[in-house]
Amino acid sequence: QVQLVESGGGMVQPGGSLRLSCATSGFRFGDFAIGWFRQIPGKEREGVACISPSGGYTAYADSVKGRFTISRDNSKKSVWLQMDNLKPDDTATYYCAADLGYTDHVICSQYEYENWGQGTQVTVSS
């Protein structure tokens, strides 16, 4: 049974940092791409950052480039999203997702991922 569990969300002031974690089980982690997505009520889920199975390829939304960093450790079956210089517009529920990935690129669209965690809330406010 595929399981993804997010943690690390919370409330932070603008300019602050948070590190989200995604712990996984139930699948061959090294074969799967992992993505971080976020959603605000009433809006479509947005791809934030995604990483290929080996970690060699990453993709970021333009709005977070230079501020967010995705990483993974296949030995720990875990993925992290380091979020720096947070802005109020980053407020959302953040989800990690997994699906079989490609060896030579990564796709960061919600339609490419079938396995999802329950989400963790991130609020950026002064």
Side-chain angles (χ1 to χ4, degrees), residues 94-117:
Y94 284 71
Y95 301 87
C96 69
D99 215 311
L100 284 169
Y102 304 94
T103 59
D104 58 356
H105 66 284
V106 63
I107 299 175
C108 209
S109 164
Q110 62 169 323
Y111 303 107
E112 292 288 321
Y113 295 82
E114 289 194 354
N115 305 289
W116 293 83

Side-chain angles (χ1 to χ4, degrees), residues 66-120:
R67 300 189 298 122
F68 290 11
T69 303
I70 189 170
S71 61
R72 65 187 291 160
D73 184 333
N74 285 3
S75 68
K76 296 180 179 179
K77 299 184 179 181
S78 295
V79 176
W80 298 271
L81 183 68
Q82 177 66 41
M83 305 187 295
D84 297 319
N85 190 21
L86 282 159
K87 304 176 180 180
D89 284 350
D90 295 318
T91 296
T93 301
Y94 284 71
Y95 301 87
C96 69
D99 215 311
L100 284 169
Y102 304 94
T103 59
D104 58 356
H105 66 284
V106 63
I107 299 175
C108 209
S109 164
Q110 62 169 323
Y111 303 107
E112 292 288 321
Y113 295 82
E114 289 194 354
N115 305 289
W116 293 83
Q118 294 299 307
T120 185

